[in-house]
Amino acid sequence: MQEPFRAIVISRNEDKVQKVEQTEINLADLMDGDVLVEVEATTVNYKDGLAITGKAPVIRRWPMVPGVDCAGTVVQSSSNDFSEGDAVILNGWGVGEAHTGAYAKYARLNGNWLIKRPQNISARDAMAIGTAGYTSMLCVMALQRYGLSPDDGPILVTGANGGVGSIAISILWKLGFEVIASTGRPEEEAFLKSLGASAIIDRNELSEPGRPMGKERWAGGIDAVGSHTLANVLAQTKYGGAVAACGLAGGMDLPATVMPFILRSVALLGVDSVMAPKSLREEAWHRLGDDLDTDKLHALSKTIGFDEIIDTAQSIVDGKIRGRVVVDMSE
Ligand code: NDP
């Protein structure tokens, strides 16, 4: 453990030009925390793509080891909640943004951020799920808490081929919902239907400025796209329906009117995964063990080695990744 180990490090010079390199670091380079985790698997989320490419100001401290998610084993702990050998999962909490993160052999973390990995989810499957999939579950839970059930009608999922979208489709299917998938990649229709979508719409139908209210088409939605797409999803939600909004892949603005809220009692439910309280995380991960079909999870994810993280980060920002990516740290 005292030996240098591989890591990805993002630094920047006085002119604030960012540099990303795969290098070696020591335990002393990791930030403080009461639990040291040996990382078995990690993933590349959209946010990791933004951090590594520098496309958005995700990194808040330099130098930084990026990587917002990991699954691994505790190798040292002074936390009362964790002991050596515990299998744990980390999602968010500013790790990989303001606290040294997952793209290294070891991550030193705060025990309050960790949850114990459910026994029916392997480390690699936990990272096939990752923040994207756990956010999908939070979105489904938000819709259910609001009272939506399969009898109310179909649920629209936007950004369907992405991590959040593809896992949301799989969960909704398992729960018996009819799912409509909105995508810019209609050639992936067969894949989206294999996950559980019953109909596909072209994302261009939703991405342009639309009318304040349109025909009522779905009982609810899970939106990873934002901007005009979210405005149009709201405008076409049935009376009394709800839309869980978690993403901004199409833009961070929301050029909408209040009409769906005040004339159709449509609800907009915000979903954040990064600072979500521990009890909600534990519930979401417990439910992922039950409500996500493992065969579908494997069908929507692919495994890469550590050396491929940087290139994959660019691909995810370019919208070229289908589903989820697992980084196997032993490769
Ligand atoms: P991915 O890159 O895997 O997927 C995003 C998908 O959105 C793409 O696959 C594409 O789907 C669609 N898309 C991309 N660009 C555009 C565009 N310009 N207009 C419309 N659709 C577009 O990302 P994730 O699924 O991991 O994340 C999705 C969003 O959710 C991101 O904005 C991310 O930051 C956010 N997020 C938020 C979290 C939270 O805590 N609130 C947690 C996790 C993610 P297709 O090809 O099918 O059209």
Side-chain angles (χ1 to χ4, degrees):
M1 235 186 286
Q2 297 313 318
E3 300 295 311
F5 50 89
R6 67 183 174 174
I8 291 173
V9 175
I10 304 182
S11 54
R12 67 176 188 181
N13 64 18
E14 313 85 72
D15 298 327
K16 299 192 173 172
V17 177
Q18 177 168 306
K19 182 169 105 182
V20 184
E21 56 186 337
Q22 191 170 319
T23 181
E24 291 205 322
I25 61 171
N26 295 291
L27 284 181
D29 297 313
L30 301 179
M31 291 172 71
D32 289 346
D34 53 5
V35 181
L36 185 67
V37 175
E38 180 166 1
V39 179
E40 282 168 57
T42 174
T43 177
V44 183
N45 290 288
Y46 189 80
K47 187 185 263 183
D48 299 310
L50 294 176
I52 286 179
T53 59
K55 196 177 164 203
V58 169
I59 304 294
R60 287 175 275 136
R61 177 193 175 277
W62 282 266
M64 176 53 58
V65 176
V68 307
D69 281 332
C70 72
T73 306
V74 173
V75 289
Q76 278 174 6
S77 173
S78 54
S79 155
N80 290 333
D81 298 329
F82 295 95
S83 320
E84 205 180 313
D86 283 347
V88 292
I89 299 174
L90 176 280
N91 303 114
W93 291 116
V95 173
E97 303 178 52
H99 186 100
T100 44
Y103 295 160
K105 183 173 185 195
Y106 296 105
R108 193 183 284 116
L109 302 165
N110 186 335
N112 294 334
W113 300 336
L114 297 170
I115 63 161
K116 296 215 168 115
R117 175 161 57 79
Q119 280 183 346
N120 57 353
I121 302 179
S122 69
R124 279 173 56 157
D125 283 356
M127 289 298 101
I129 295 168
T131 284
Y134 138 70
T135 302
S136 311
M137 192 75 237
L138 292 177
C139 289
V140 171
M141 285 160 58
L143 295 179
Q144 291 186 314
R145 224 172 18 246
Y146 192 74
L148 289 189
S149 73
D151 292 342
D152 293 311
I155 305 293
L156 177 76
V157 174
T158 65
N161 274 295
V164 171
S166 56
I167 295 189
I169 293 169
S170 309
I171 297 169
L172 289 165
W173 168 82
K174 181 129 189 220
L175 294 171
F177 284 93
E178 182 186 341
V179 185
I180 303 171
S182 165
T183 182
R185 288 181 266 180
E187 67 277 14
E188 297 291 356
E189 176 168 352
F191 168 69
L192 295 170
K193 287 192 167 164
S194 76
L195 298 182
S198 55
I200 311 295
I201 64 172
D202 191 313
R203 78 182 188 202
N204 289 335
E205 267 190 51
L206 300 171
S207 59
E208 298 299 322
R211 290 186 296 149
M213 289 215 296
K215 188 167 171 263
E216 295 172 72
R217 295 172 77 184
W218 33 77
I222 294 182
D223 179 59
V225 174
S227 193
H228 291 296
T229 299
L230 177 54
N232 286 319
V233 173
L234 289 164
Q236 296 174 50
T237 298
K238 288 184 184 181
Y239 194 99
V243 178
C246 70
L248 42 58
M252 65 190 284
D253 57 335
L254 179 51
T257 77
V258 297
M259 301 303 262
F261 308 131
I262 65 174
L263 293 182
R264 283 193 188 146
S265 285
V266 168
L268 177 56
L269 312 173
V271 172
D272 164 64
S273 67
V274 180
M275 304 305 287
K278 194 163 179 167
S279 57
L280 193 61
R281 288 166 187 264
E282 286 171 340
E283 185 186 346
W285 276 101
H286 176 74
R287 288 215 31 200
L288 281 159
D290 295 336
D291 296 342
L292 178 58
D293 185 275
T294 313
D295 290 341
K296 291 200 189 311
L297 181 65
H298 294 163
L300 65 81
S301 55
K302 68 166 188 174
T303 301
I304 63 168
F306 192 82
D307 295 347
E308 296 167 87
I309 292 176
I310 294 175
D311 286 347
T312 303
Q314 184 65 55
S315 300
I316 199 165
V317 167
D318 292 342
K320 292 187 184 148
I321 299 290
R322 187 181 86 171
R324 296 278 303 140
V325 173
V326 181
V327 182
D328 184 339
M329 295 296 279
S330 65
E331 287 187 18

